[in-house]
Amino acid sequence: MLDAVTSLRCLICHRSYRSDEIDYVCPRHGVEGIVDVEYDYERIAATVRREDLASEPGPGMWRYSALLPIDSQVPRPPLLVGDTPLVPAPRLAAEVGVRRVWVKDEGRQPTASLKDRASAMAAVKALEMPAVDGDTLGTSLDPSSTVITTASTGNAAAALAGICASMAIPAVIFVPASAPAAKVAQLLAFGASVMLVDGPYDTATDLCMAAAARHGWYNRNTGFNPYMTEGKKTAAYEVAEALHWDAPDAVVVSVGDGCIIGGLHKGFRDLLALGWIDRIPRLIGVQAEGSDYLVRVWESGSDVLTTPAIIPTTVADSISAGLPRDRIKGLAAVTATHGVFVRVSDDEILAAIPDLARLSGVFAEPAASAALAGLRKASDLGHVGPGDRVVLMSTGSGLKDVGAATAGAAAVGARPIEVAPDDEAVERALAEHHIT
Ligand SMILES: *Cc1c(COP(=O)(O)O)cnc(C)c1O
Ligand SMILES: [Zn+2]
């Protein structure tokens, strides 16, 4: 049993299980039966104070171990996961018309996206699993005897491949053939076994889930493995801690499967339950127009469990999801915090790449710049205003998709000045472009 965890509760039937009773989902509800990890907050509050977190041993996200569902015996990945900067962006705030903006730069993670928080958690949980052959008691601490698998639009896969490489754990990855080249290059470089699926992310997920069950691999899939939310929630802890526990008014984040926004919600809920913050920010979920399942469900009030999948199309590959796998938690994050969902066009997403870079210094991939496009929309619609302190989640690095960044720059008219290799030509060009 894990110290601070009291139970795993099914989000559909609300039945609760001990943490050693089920591995992933509520058995009554199969793959849909996503569970929430519940904690004994009194016990946590008795062992750790928020002032002490900064000096807790363990780098990055492991400083919050007292609030995480992990066994203290199991090794952590040697890579630094977490501790990403919260970058003040006053020019962006002025342009959008809100009081303050900070950009949480998750592009600074070891594999360059927020997914490292979840994949690091997956590696630790996989090593906690009882050894499969049954003749060793305790955990399967030999990393090479554990195989971890996931399907992904690219970043969760790159994160898992990188974390696994750092710990010598074999990884089997299923990605759609349309994943950006940089993400596939990361997988191959990290030495993962890569299944490039001729089909969308949703198909890759189905294939991965089936193979995991057949082979007994540890399953990291989003919206199935309950601990991914618990890894991602550490981003909310860092935001609150960096703002000296004065929670922002709103947090804007792009949404594909809904796991990140659900994780942020969980993190802020934990902090509120511990009395470390006094309110939860409004969570503003941003989806691409061509992949707007959760916006539609939120607008229409239809049932998130029975609304059929859509066929997603967007340049923002990391938020392309026909049937968001973590949609129960994703929807609840917005409704329970009195937030909103907004949709943005691919053109707005691309233009937001140079926009965010120019106004804050943070270089984002399309799924991350979508948050800025969404903040602009939320401001236009009056969902955020001049009194608000806002955190913008930049979930992945611009280097993940150089093609999109190039298209975004071209869309806002940013282009290089071609110049012959001599000083006079340089001076002529500078004069022509009024650069002094
Ligand atoms: C995965 C991802 C998202 C969306 O997260 P979900 O949990 O799928 O909603 C957003 N941005 C980036 C860069 C991602 O990798
Ligand atoms: Zn259930």
Side-chain angles (χ1 to χ4, degrees), residues 3-4 40 54 66 72 116 161 178 268 272 293 295 337 345-346 412:
D3 266 12
D40 180 347
S72 55
D116 284 325
S178 58
F268 289 119
L272 187 71
Y293 182 100
V295 194
T337 64
S345 71
D346 277 3
V412 299

Side-chain angles (χ1 to χ4, degrees), residues 180-182 315 350 353 363-366 397-411:
V315 287
L350 288 176
I353 297 174
F363 187 33
E365 69 167 276
S397 165
L399 294 174
K400 290 274 193 173
D401 189 348
V402 173
T406 307

Side-chain angles (χ1 to χ4, degrees), residues 112-115 153-156 183 201 222 232 253-262 287 294 318-319 321 326 365-368 393-397 400:
S113 85
L114 189 146
K115 298 296 198 297
T153 55
N155 282 338
K183 298 180 184 180
Y201 165 53
T222 298
K232 290 172 180 174
V253 61
S254 66
V255 176
D257 278 325
C259 186
I260 293 180
I261 197 168
Q287 293 208 289
L294 279 166
S318 301
I319 51 170
D326 221 352
E365 69 167 276
M393 298 300 299
S394 185
T395 42
S397 165
K400 290 274 193 173

Side-chain angles (χ1 to χ4, degrees), residues 417-420 423-435:
I417 301 165
E418 281 171 26
V419 68
D423 297 333
E424 261 175 48
V426 170
E427 286 308 315
R428 262 199 316 278
L430 290 175
E432 228 170 82
H433 291 86
H434 314 288
I435 304 166

Side-chain angles (χ1 to χ4, degrees), residues 10 12-15 17 26 28-29 33:
C10 174
I12 300 174
C13 68
H14 307 292
R15 173 179 272 249
Y17 300 90
C26 170
R28 291 178 155 197
H29 289 97

